[in-house]
Amino acid sequence: MSCSLLEFCRLQELKTVRDFLFLSQKSESVEEKNQAAENELSWDSSDWEATWDSGENKEDAATSATTVEEETTGQRAPWLQDCVVSLSPCSDLLVVAREQKAVFLSAKWRTDDSGREEMTLAVSWTGTLSSDEGECVSSSICIPLASQKRSSTGRPDWTCVVVGFTSGHVRFYTESGVLLLAQLLHEDPVLRLKCRTYEIPRHPGVTEQHEELSILYPAALVTIDGFSLFQSLRACRNQVARATAAGSDVIQPPPLAYKKWALQDMDTIVDHSSVGIMTLCVFDQMKNASILGGFNASVKGSPPAMSQYVTVGGGPYTGFYYAVEGSSQPLLSHVALAVASKLTSALFSAASGWLGWNRHKNEEEAVQKQKPKVEPATPLGIRFGLPDSRRHGESVCLSPCNTLAGVTDDFGRVTLLDLARGIAIRMWKGYRDAQLGWLQVPEERGDREFSPSASLPRRHALFLVIYAPRRGILEVWGMQQGPRVGAFTVGKHCRLLYAGYRLMGVNSVTSKGWQLHTQQVCLLDTTTGALRTVNIPFHLALSDKKSERAKDMHLIKRLTTILRSREVEPDILESEAKSVLLDIKHPAIKKQALESLLSNKNAPVSCLINVTSALSDTLKQQDPEEVDAALLQLCSSQLKLLQLYTDIQELHSGADREACAENDSLKGIEDELSRVGPALQRYAHLTARPSVSFAQDSPDSPMPAQAFISQMECTEDEGLRVNRGSEAQWNHLGNFLFWGCLCGKSPPQKVCDTLQQAGISPQQLLSLLLSVWLQREKEVLQKPEEAVRNLHTLLIGISDMKGAVEESWDLQSISPWWQQVRCTCIQSHNAAAALLAAFVAHRAAKASITSRGDSKFQSEWEAVSLELEQWVVCVHQLEDVLVLQTLLLMPPPQGAAGGAAAQCSIKTLLEGGTGGIADSVSKWVFRHDLAPERLKAILQMKEEQEADERSEQRAREEGKEEKKETTKEEADRTAELLVAVCQRFPHSLSPDLLFAHCCWEYVVQWNKDPEEDRYFWLAVEHLKLVSSPHIQLGISAMMWSTFIVKRFSAAAFLMEKVGKAPKDRLFRRDVGMGDKAVTSFLGCCVQLLQILMEADSAVEEVPPPELSVEEAWCGAEGPASLAELALEQRGVHFPLVQHHCLLASLLHAGMTFSLKVKPLSLFDSKGKNAFFRDLTTIQLMPSGDMDPGLVSLRQEFLLRVLTAWVQAIEDPSSSAPGTNSTALPSQGPTADWWPSLCLELGSLMQVNPDILRRHLVCELYNQGLDLRAEEVMLEVEDKDVLGSQLLVLTGQRLSYSLLHSQSQTQAAMELLARLPPTLCTWLKAMDPGELRSPLIPLSQTSRLVGRLVEILPENHAQYSLALHLLEAVDALTTED
């Protein structure tokens, strides 16, 4: 609550501004230095300079550059002091001018590094202002002009920059530097420009002041009427806008109305202030008349209105001038439109014919050189002054209320003038070169409420701001004889910018409801570019002796200091706080002090109670009418809360405990506990795992009184209400109130009685009790029987309170009280604690209903109630949730996907729809990475168990629980838990639904990370296990359209574009996964489409399954389940699926064997158009005989696939193809199904399968795999062609062993000599290089030749050759 300096804006690009304004000086100084250097070193030094070390040269250059920079910065550290600076009162435009140049900086918002929005002033325009030779800028101001629109809220429409020159010209510019108009009203240099704008009169008797612009010359003063200036500026701006758009006729703006006074009887004038119009009172009028006119002077009836001007300078030091209204007629100047000037002629060349401006150039120059007519000034004599022959005034600054002015002089004094009386009323010394500003601060609205003069208008305090640059200090002084209320060390290179006016063009009608956003005083730091404003609270203007508020503020500051220090003794703290609170007079501040004491964490409870009691007693002793009712109410309510806090604390710490009533039998609950005992133990074992938490967040941490008070508030009916804050605060309060009772350490009945007497509603107490019970689940499960008994006692105690269970409750309707308990249990994620709470509440509700029924019916009939039915359902649901949550808490094995265990409650399961339960379990299956076959085995185990008798099943479960933990047992326990869950949810977790959800979960996870190709493969494997073709069909179709088709089409188009298996980088860019993952993905696509076709074929034979839900879970509301969506899917078009499957197989083969292929080019236009369409639509498919060219392309591709496969099965490197072999065991390039796939594709693509078989036989023989080749040979139909092909292959083998082998034997040479010449020539013509495996045992070749002779008919042309070969091989075999 003291003075402060607030930075609200910062100048950007200060260096740019300096460089622009001082550019000529900088370049001149650098040139002079260079010239001097050249003169000194004029001899020729080229020979030795060339060999000089280049490094040193660079170093010198860098040093010299730094020196220049330092000089330009250092020589002009306060460079802004040499410039003319003016800031708009709205702080959105700053003008810096020097000589002929100027820079305009406009406001912009930007985000700083911390993400905070801040305002900056950035350069928006730079340029040269003057147009006449030799003239320089001498003064400038920025005048914001108000908007004339009705929707305006007080922001300026635009800002006009007014600049005065040494030539006497005054020119007006827009924010973008466009000249609007120029005036020469006097031929002396302009000394000062000042402006006065409209202010709403604060008091009825104050004269309303007119707006005006005043221009001071050395011996003259010109005042321009504000309304006339406003209209002219608007007209000129509109004219410029039209000229820019190159269009309409010129509209002559209205002439400027101004008055011009020749100020007499003063030697030198350097500054002025136009005070405005004033009227004298009758006494002053008579006094003046008698002084001026003597004893016989006549006095006019009404005092005349006068304009008052104050000037400062020398001889006299301050002068007061009065111009009687009407003594001088206003002069009218012709407005010289700026559009005629040379500066902006380029802008308006389009409008060159407007005012006869298209004259001859010489004529134009002559007209411009001809100066406009300057009107003579009206003499105005000085009325009086403050004579001081040696003192010379330097500046005068008028206060906002126009009654005071501050004057600085060359003696380093600041003088305060009373303008109405014309006297100096105060003087400060030691302020050489001071800069002044004024601050007018309105009284805060809150202060008026307690003031006796609340009905009067708001008061305003006036402060004088003095900046002393020699001392680098900024001071704030209260007016008129007030003390210094603030002082800041700000540095010696600042500028104090005080406008003294607001928006021009405002009047009493338009300004209603406006919020004028103007700064009164700004301090510009020229070194950092920071703009700061002074913030002064109103109460500092009140004198120290009389201001109770100032004293109160001092006291509250003292109290704050005491509370902050942690080393104060409690006794000292209590006495100090008590004395401060009793000394404070102002009720609002007393309340603030009490609240700060009550919220302090270091103050002990006893201190708080004693201080609040003392304050309350003091208030009660005072006159009731003088006491602030709100403060008294606060004291009594806080005392009540503190008393409740201490009472409960004593009950928890007290040694007396209530003996539990033995007759309070919990037999029903004990039976239930023994029934769910094993499930609770399993759950407790899984939740008891260690976890990290912070000590201050521990529920056992003590609750301070301050936290207790902050959560409670007193109601009007003297009750208490708990304010629901954060979950942690709510639980902390519940712990404080009830945990002692639940542990058995505190008497529950006494605690309930204390809370009931305090007036807290039973509903809030019930909510707090249940929140602490659910939060402390781990502790509850350690001793469940004891905790349940204590909870039952507390619940009965709270239920018996007044206002808990309604008296008018009808037994056949649902009770809101028990419904609140049920809602809390339904929403809780702590399944075990919620189940125990439900047992207790069920029993309590049953007892309550029974007692009410007995009193109502007086008979042996048992009361049947809708309430109890709800409880039965709720308990059943909670038992289901407990078993499910136990399964979900099971930690995943090492290396599994992992992730946080899912939390479930009745509410989340019901909101998840009918498929919510299966969805939770499928996520668990994914986390545990349970293999599809393993899941299938577990589900079969469940069916077997269901076949057994219940009693045997229970015995088996108990036996299992006693085993020791081993890895195998972990797996058994997992299976056992999953079976238990499936038994609780026989419909929701039927095998088909579970497999469908697992399939969907895996494909969703694969879509998140497509590199994990194993997930997609597992999704397909789960899908295969779904027995219902209807569900299988729907899931496959949804998977295809949602996740697969987009990536599949991208892969196909990419392979078509590249013409071969693309590189990893291209796949990652277009498909979003690497090349290995794409290969696996395409294989899975083939399987998915095959499943889709099989399911589509089987749908007609099997009726669709009926989906049902367990009776307890019929109330599920949420999205449709996956199975429902699957059954809603439309049937697919089988030929279209087959068409896609064909493409997928081709893509998969191309990628697996890295073959060159353009897959889409293997289809005609119909086939291409049908791809990637919705599988449910009927498309125009290829039919009839295919183009032979396409068939040959297809055949060539399939032959290459077969060749690649044969090479792969013998190639050891590809037998273990990295990820593929581990993830997808049956999908490598060595898989045995590739030949059959090629034959199947051949039949679909109109390729002769016999050609494929023959090719395969030849390739297998070529590879040396004779046995495999013989198997395939049995299926070949055209044996003749095959015989010819194999004959060549046999010849190549023999040729190699006889002619090309390294170990040629003599026997072989002799055999070669004995062979028939035709055979010998034929063998020599063979090229064994085509054989991939030439080293084949002779026995195999012999067997092959035998087959050849069998295959070839006797009339075949090469039959004799085959016989010769047979003889040769037999001869070789016998010799070997």
Side-chain angles (χ1 to χ4, degrees):
M1 297 295 282
S2 58
C3 279
S4 58
L5 264 182
L6 302 174
E7 182 181 325
F8 69 93
C9 183
R10 189 170 279 271
L11 268 66
Q12 297 290 307
E13 310 163 15
L14 263 179
K15 188 175 182 299
T16 312
V17 177
R18 189 195 65 199
D19 290 351
F20 176 73
L21 295 175
F22 291 90
L23 185 65
S24 56
Q25 277 195 6
K26 186 175 172 182
S27 56
E28 280 169 23
S29 62
V30 172
E31 277 174 22
E32 283 169 17
K33 285 186 181 177
N34 291 350
Q35 188 66 39
E38 281 173 20
N39 293 343
E40 285 171 24
L41 305 169
S42 54
W43 63 79
D44 183 20
S45 58
S46 56
D47 53 344
W48 58 269
E49 269 185 349
T51 56
W52 195 258
D53 181 15
S54 60
E56 287 184 22
N57 274 343
K58 285 177 188 169
E59 203 169 302
D60 292 350
T63 314
S64 65
T66 315
T67 316
V68 171
E69 178 65 28
E70 278 173 7
E71 281 176 6
T72 54
T73 320
Q75 52 103 353
R76 304 208 164 261
W79 60 273
L80 217 53
Q81 309 293 358
D82 300 340
C83 304
V84 175
V85 182
S86 58
L87 177 70
S88 163
C90 298
S91 308
D92 56 356
L93 183 69
L94 179 77
V95 173
V96 185
R98 181 177 171 274
E99 295 178 354
Q100 294 88 16
K101 296 178 180 176
V103 180
F104 294 1
L105 296 99
S106 300
K108 284 185 174 61
W109 287 93
R110 76 179 186 94
T111 309
D112 64 3
D113 300 333
S114 62
R116 194 166 44 86
E117 290 275 324
E118 64 173 8
M119 195 175 90
T120 61
L121 285 170
V123 174
S124 59
W125 181 84
T126 57
T128 306
L129 293 178
S130 64
S131 57
D132 294 1
E133 283 186 24
E135 68 175 2
C136 298
V137 176
S138 57
S139 181
S140 78
I141 57 170
C142 304
I143 306 178
L145 276 75
S147 171
Q148 297 296 293
K149 292 174 183 170
R150 288 187 179 182
S151 59
S152 175
T153 56
R155 295 299 299 172
D157 188 16
W158 61 290
T159 304
C160 177
V161 180
V162 187
V163 184
F165 292 87
T166 51
S167 61
H169 274 98
V170 178
R171 296 190 177 92
F172 299 82
Y173 300 87
T174 65
E175 307 109 312
S176 52
V178 176
L179 181 61
L180 293 177
L181 60 97
Q183 293 288 315
L184 183 63
L185 303 172
H186 193 71
E187 290 187 315
D188 284 339
V190 174
L191 297 182
R192 278 294 171 95
L193 295 167
K194 290 201 175 177
C195 180
R196 187 174 68 240
T197 53
Y198 176 79
E199 286 286 332
I200 300 168
R202 290 210 321 275
H203 304 292
V206 178
T207 312
E208 197 169 276
Q209 300 296 343
H210 296 295
E211 297 185 321
E212 69 173 21
L213 173 69
S214 56
I215 308 162
L216 179 69
Y217 299 93
L221 177 67
V222 172
T223 60
I224 301 175
D225 177 54
F227 179 75
S228 165
L229 177 64
F230 181 71
Q231 297 298 339
S232 296
L233 289 174
R234 282 187 64 210
C236 291
R237 187 163 177 263
N238 293 342
Q239 188 61 55
V240 166
R242 286 197 192 93
T244 310
S248 63
D249 298 333
V250 111
I251 297 169
Q252 187 66 33
L256 285 178
Y258 69 95
K259 292 180 182 178
K260 186 172 175 183
W261 306 102
L263 303 177
Q264 299 179 335
D265 310 319
M266 197 161 166
D267 296 347
T268 55
I269 300 175
V270 293
D271 198 4
H272 76 292
S273 272
S274 172
V275 182
I277 297 171
M278 56 171 289
T279 49
L280 295 172
C281 64
V282 178
F283 175 79
D284 284 346
Q285 184 193 1
M286 289 179 171
K287 180 187 73 174
N288 290 344
S290 60
I291 291 171
L292 294 170
F295 181 75
N296 297 317
S298 61
V299 181
K300 290 181 182 176
S302 59
M306 298 179 288
S307 293
Q308 183 183 12
Y309 305 106
V310 180
T311 58
V312 296
Y317 146 68
T318 306
F320 289 80
Y321 292 86
Y322 294 87
V324 178
E325 286 292 295
S327 62
S328 166
Q329 289 300 317
L331 306 166
L332 294 178
S333 83
H334 170 71
V335 175
L337 268 178
V339 285
S341 82
K342 283 190 292 184
L343 284 177
T344 49
S345 59
L347 256 174
F348 310 111
S349 56
S352 57
W354 287 353
L355 293 173
W357 291 342
N358 51 357
R359 297 177 190 149
H360 196 269
K361 190 176 179 184
N362 295 342
E363 278 182 47
E364 206 174 281
E365 285 178 5
V367 170
Q368 285 191 350
K369 283 176 184 172
Q370 180 189 339
K371 290 191 176 177
K373 181 187 172 189
V374 177
E375 299 287 346
T378 306
L380 185 65
I382 191 168
R383 176 73 62 88
F384 57 85
L386 298 180
D388 189 335
S389 57
R390 293 171 55 208
R391 190 187 301 273
H392 289 270
E394 292 178 343
S395 69
V396 59
C397 188
L398 182 67
S399 72
C401 57
N402 295 343
T403 56
L404 302 172
V407 179
T408 63
D409 56 44
D410 58 350
F411 283 3
R413 306 284 196 272
V414 175
T415 310
L416 183 67
L417 300 182
D418 182 336
L419 299 178
R421 294 187 288 164
I423 58 171
I425 54 175
R426 191 171 184 182
M427 186 178 275
W428 293 265
K429 66 178 184 177
Y431 292 89
R432 196 169 293 280
D433 302 327
Q435 298 166 31
L436 307 181
W438 292 91
L439 264 175
Q440 190 168 320
V441 182
E443 186 177 16
E444 291 95 340
R445 293 204 177 275
D447 298 338
R448 301 297 282 164
E449 294 167 12
F450 305 105
S451 166
S453 56
S455 58
L456 297 176
R458 286 168 76 189
R459 296 179 293 176
H460 286 68
L462 196 61
F463 297 93
L464 177 65
V465 182
I466 307 175
Y467 169 54
R470 298 284 183 99
R471 291 154 59 195
I473 194 169
L474 183 81
E475 297 182 345
V476 183
W477 292 83
M479 291 293 102
Q480 296 178 15
Q481 302 296 331
R484 187 176 79 170
V485 295
F488 308 94
T489 304
V490 293
K492 298 183 177 182
H493 303 308
C494 297
R495 287 283 287 268
L496 190 70
L497 305 175
Y498 172 67
Y501 57 92
R502 293 194 180 191
L503 271 69
M504 182 173 273
V506 177
N507 56 46
S508 57
V509 179
T510 58
S511 63
K512 281 181 181 173
W514 279 14
Q515 294 290 322
L516 297 177
H517 309 280
T518 55
Q519 303 285 359
Q520 296 185 56
V521 174
C522 295
L523 187 76
L524 171 61
D525 190 334
T526 59
T527 51
T528 63
L531 264 175
R532 290 180 285 181
T533 183
V534 187
N535 186 30
I536 307 175
F538 175 83
H539 69 80
L540 293 179
L542 307 172
S543 66
D544 289 347
K545 293 173 186 174
K546 296 176 184 175
S547 170
E548 288 181 352
R549 183 184 172 85
K551 185 182 175 186
D552 287 353
M553 293 310 297
H554 174 72
L555 287 169
I556 199 170
K557 202 178 282 185
R558 183 170 133 208
L559 177 64
T560 308
T561 310
I562 296 166
L563 292 174
R564 276 182 188 160
S565 61
R566 298 184 177 183
E567 295 157 10
V568 183
E569 292 291 325
D571 299 342
I572 299 170
L573 175 64
E574 184 178 326
S575 62
E576 284 285 335
K578 197 180 288 183
S579 68
V580 165
L581 269 165
L582 296 177
D583 286 350
I584 293 174
K585 300 289 187 291
H586 209 285
I589 299 177
K590 200 180 279 253
K591 186 179 176 185
Q592 185 184 344
L594 180 61
E595 285 170 350
S596 64
L597 174 67
L598 290 168
S599 63
N600 186 265
K601 292 179 181 176
N602 300 329
V605 186
S606 58
C607 163
L608 298 178
I609 292 176
N610 294 340
V611 172
T612 314
S613 302
L615 179 59
S616 179
D617 294 344
T618 312
L619 290 171
K620 285 173 183 173
Q621 288 166 13
Q622 293 176 7
D623 184 4
E625 290 181 2
E626 293 179 5
V627 175
D628 184 50
L631 182 60
L632 189 60
Q633 174 68 28
L634 178 70
C635 289
S636 60
S637 64
Q638 298 303 310
L639 272 174
K640 184 178 179 182
L641 291 176
L642 289 166
Q643 192 57 51
L644 175 64
Y645 177 81
T646 49
D647 289 349
I648 290 174
Q649 217 173 22
E650 284 169 11
L651 283 173
H652 287 328
S653 59
D656 60 326
R657 293 191 197 172
E658 291 176 3
C660 274
E662 290 299 325
N663 57 0
D664 183 14
S665 170
L666 294 175
K667 188 178 180 186
I669 298 181
E670 284 166 1
D671 294 345
E672 297 280 4
L673 280 175
S674 61
R675 184 170 58 81
V676 297
L680 285 173
Q681 283 175 6
R682 276 199 302 259
Y683 180 85
H685 172 68
L686 290 169
T687 51
R689 294 175 183 275
S691 59
V692 176
S693 62
F694 293 101
Q696 62 262 36
D697 297 336
S698 167
D700 293 320
S701 60
M703 185 173 206
Q706 291 76 12
F708 181 80
I709 292 170
S710 67
Q711 290 190 64
M712 297 277 194
E713 69 173 357
C714 290
T715 56
E716 292 175 2
D717 55 356
E718 296 193 1
L720 288 181
R721 181 169 61 241
V722 185
N723 292 324
R724 184 92 193 222
S726 67
E727 200 64 33
Q729 290 174 332
W730 185 258
N731 289 336
H732 204 182
L733 180 61
N735 268 305
F736 173 71
L737 296 178
F738 295 118
W739 183 241
C741 304
L742 290 172
C743 295
K745 296 175 183 174
S746 313
Q749 199 54 52
K750 285 186 181 177
V751 170
C752 287
D753 293 345
T754 307
L755 292 171
Q756 186 175 10
Q757 286 164 10
I760 305 175
S761 78
Q763 283 76 13
Q764 286 198 316
L765 291 175
L766 178 64
S767 180
L768 285 163
L769 172 63
L770 291 173
S771 72
V772 65
W773 174 263
L774 295 170
Q775 184 214 4
R776 305 295 290 261
E777 184 183 59
K778 287 182 186 177
E779 292 92 328
V780 164
L781 290 176
Q782 287 170 4
K783 295 179 180 176
E785 291 84 2
E786 184 188 339
V788 162
R789 186 176 285 107
N790 292 326
L791 175 66
H792 186 260
T793 311
L794 273 173
L795 189 60
I796 294 292
I798 296 174
S799 301
D800 290 343
M801 286 183 188
K802 187 181 178 183
V805 183
E806 298 85 345
E807 294 294 328
S808 60
W809 173 37
D810 175 20
L811 295 182
Q812 297 308 311
S813 63
I814 290 172
S815 161
W817 174 257
W818 298 115
Q819 180 65 22
Q820 183 186 347
V821 185
R822 240 187 340 269
C823 281
T824 309
C825 293
I826 283 169
Q827 291 172 10
S828 172
H829 290 290
N830 301 321
L835 178 61
L836 294 176
F839 285 154
V840 172
H842 184 194
R843 187 176 189 283
K846 194 172 183 178
S848 170
I849 288 166
T850 307
S851 66
R852 281 169 181 266
D854 289 350
S855 63
K856 196 174 276 190
F857 301 117
Q858 298 290 334
S859 68
E860 295 178 4
W861 291 87
E862 185 177 337
V864 177
S865 161
L866 182 62
E867 181 66 46
L868 293 181
E869 287 301 313
Q870 293 268 4
W871 273 118
V872 170
V873 173
C874 180
V875 168
H876 189 286
Q877 287 176 332
L878 283 167
E879 286 181 31
D880 290 350
V881 170
L882 177 67
V883 177
L884 178 60
Q885 185 69 62
T886 309
L887 175 74
L888 299 182
L889 285 171
M890 224 23 216
Q894 289 291 326
Q903 293 284 326
C904 68
S905 65
I906 297 177
K907 187 182 178 193
T908 54
L909 290 179
L910 289 173
E911 286 175 353
T914 50
I917 296 158
D919 189 51
S920 302
V921 176
S922 68
K923 285 181 168 58
W924 175 86
V925 168
F926 172 76
R927 282 182 60 238
H928 281 249
D929 201 11
L930 209 62
E933 291 303 323
R934 168 90 176 127
L935 182 59
K936 186 181 178 183
I938 291 172
L939 293 177
Q940 282 173 347
M941 191 199 313
K942 182 203 87 167
E943 289 167 11
E944 290 164 11
Q945 277 194 11
E946 281 175 351
D948 297 341
E949 289 180 12
R950 294 272 176 98
S951 57
E952 289 175 10
Q953 176 199 341
R954 279 182 191 166
R956 199 181 307 122
E957 279 181 16
E958 286 166 14
K960 280 181 184 173
E961 280 164 17
E962 291 165 9
K963 292 179 185 175
K964 299 286 181 188
E965 282 191 16
T966 61
T967 314
K968 187 170 183 301
E969 185 146 337
E970 280 285 333
D972 289 347
R973 189 180 289 114
T974 303
E976 181 192 336
L977 281 172
L978 183 55
V979 168
V981 171
C982 291
Q983 284 172 341
R984 302 255 359 157
F985 299 100
H987 302 303
S988 299
L989 292 179
S990 64
D992 273 4
L993 293 189
L994 189 51
F995 286 131
H997 276 272
C998 289
C999 163
W1000 195 258
E1001 179 63 25
Y1002 270 105
V1003 82
V1004 165
Q1005 296 295 341
W1006 167 80
N1007 191 51
K1008 289 177 185 171
D1009 182 10
E1011 287 295 322
E1012 286 285 350
D1013 51 351
R1014 197 172 134 273
Y1015 291 165
F1016 188 20
W1017 174 72
L1018 284 167
V1020 174
E1021 291 300 308
H1022 277 291
L1023 186 59
K1024 287 178 184 173
L1025 296 174
V1026 176
S1027 61
S1028 164
H1030 296 270
I1031 294 177
Q1032 213 176 31
L1033 177 73
I1035 298 286
S1036 314
M1038 284 157 58
M1039 272 171 69
W1040 176 261
S1041 58
T1042 310
F1043 301 109
I1044 312 301
V1045 70
K1046 192 176 175 186
R1047 293 185 197 273
F1048 179 70
S1049 60
F1053 286 131
L1054 181 63
M1055 288 177 73
E1056 178 73 13
K1057 182 179 174 185
V1058 176
K1060 59 178 182 180
K1063 292 184 179 175
D1064 188 77
R1065 176 180 57 81
L1066 292 174
F1067 270 131
R1068 288 185 191 281
R1069 185 194 69 190
D1070 287 14
V1071 190
M1073 48 181 140
D1075 51 358
K1076 286 184 179 176
V1078 168
T1079 309
S1080 154
F1081 162 70
L1082 292 169
C1084 293
C1085 285
V1086 176
Q1087 290 193 42
L1088 178 66
L1089 291 165
Q1090 284 171 347
I1091 293 169
L1092 194 50
M1093 289 191 288
E1094 289 166 13
D1096 186 51
S1097 307
V1099 159
E1100 301 297 328
E1101 301 164 12
V1102 185
E1106 288 184 11
L1107 302 176
S1108 54
V1109 185
E1110 294 76 22
E1111 191 179 349
W1113 295 92
C1114 286
E1117 293 177 0
S1121 72
L1122 194 62
E1124 286 169 357
L1125 292 173
L1127 293 175
E1128 287 169 9
Q1129 297 298 308
R1130 286 160 51 199
V1132 293
H1133 183 44
F1134 186 89
L1136 186 59
V1137 181
Q1138 194 177 40
H1139 191 53
H1140 279 84
C1141 188
L1142 180 59
L1143 177 65
S1145 302
L1146 296 175
L1147 293 173
H1148 184 216
M1151 280 303 298
T1152 304
F1153 299 111
S1154 302
L1155 301 175
K1156 284 190 176 182
V1157 62
K1158 291 198 167 188
L1160 299 179
S1161 304
L1162 301 177
F1163 297 89
D1164 60 7
S1165 57
K1166 284 183 188 173
K1168 286 178 186 173
N1169 288 336
F1171 282 129
F1172 320 123
R1173 307 279 182 186
D1174 186 356
L1175 297 180
T1176 59
T1177 58
I1178 297 174
Q1179 299 292 332
L1180 197 61
M1181 303 296 295
S1183 58
D1185 291 341
M1186 196 58 67
D1187 176 33
L1190 271 180
V1191 174
S1192 67
L1193 278 175
R1194 293 172 170 187
Q1195 179 178 310
E1196 184 192 343
F1197 174 69
L1198 291 175
L1199 295 179
R1200 278 190 284 138
V1201 172
L1202 288 170
T1203 304
W1205 174 72
V1206 172
Q1207 290 172 355
I1209 56 176
E1210 199 58 21
D1211 183 5
S1213 67
S1214 64
S1215 61
T1219 55
N1220 290 347
S1221 65
T1222 54
L1224 321 174
S1226 63
Q1227 286 201 12
T1230 58
D1232 290 337
W1233 45 260
W1234 280 109
S1236 58
L1237 176 69
C1238 286
L1239 292 169
E1240 192 182 323
L1241 294 178
S1243 63
L1244 289 171
M1245 297 168 76
Q1246 300 183 10
V1247 176
N1248 184 352
D1250 207 48
I1251 297 173
L1252 300 177
R1253 288 194 192 98
R1254 291 203 301 270
H1255 179 77
L1256 180 57
V1257 171
C1258 295
E1259 286 296 326
L1260 287 167
Y1261 273 123
N1262 195 343
Q1263 194 73 37
L1265 302 170
D1266 291 20
L1267 290 173
R1268 285 203 181 199
E1270 285 173 17
E1271 291 173 15
V1272 180
M1273 198 192 296
L1274 300 171
E1275 298 173 16
V1276 176
E1277 293 170 4
D1278 194 343
K1279 299 280 201 296
D1280 295 8
V1281 180
L1282 180 63
S1284 303
Q1285 290 171 324
L1286 291 180
L1287 194 64
V1288 176
L1289 209 136
T1290 315
Q1292 287 171 343
R1293 282 189 181 182
L1294 266 180
S1295 173
Y1296 180 81
S1297 57
L1298 292 173
L1299 302 171
H1300 299 276
S1301 174
Q1302 298 296 319
S1303 56
Q1304 285 187 338
T1305 60
Q1306 187 182 355
M1309 298 305 292
E1310 288 173 3
L1311 175 69
L1312 199 58
R1314 290 205 305 274
L1315 286 176
T1318 52
L1319 181 60
C1320 196
T1321 312
W1322 184 75
L1323 283 174
K1324 283 178 182 175
M1326 290 291 127
D1327 179 16
E1330 293 176 9
L1331 290 173
R1332 280 197 295 276
S1333 182
L1335 287 168
I1336 301 295
L1338 269 173
S1339 58
Q1340 284 191 23
T1341 310
S1342 169
R1343 187 181 170 95
L1344 171 59
V1345 177
R1347 285 298 170 103
L1348 262 177
V1349 175
E1350 288 174 19
I1351 287 173
L1352 290 174
E1354 291 181 8
N1355 60 354
H1356 196 276
Q1358 293 172 314
Y1359 186 72
S1360 59
L1361 193 61
L1363 290 174
H1364 287 311
L1365 276 173
L1366 184 60
E1367 290 170 12
V1369 173
D1370 286 347
L1372 271 173
T1373 314
T1374 52
E1375 284 177 17
D1376 270 1

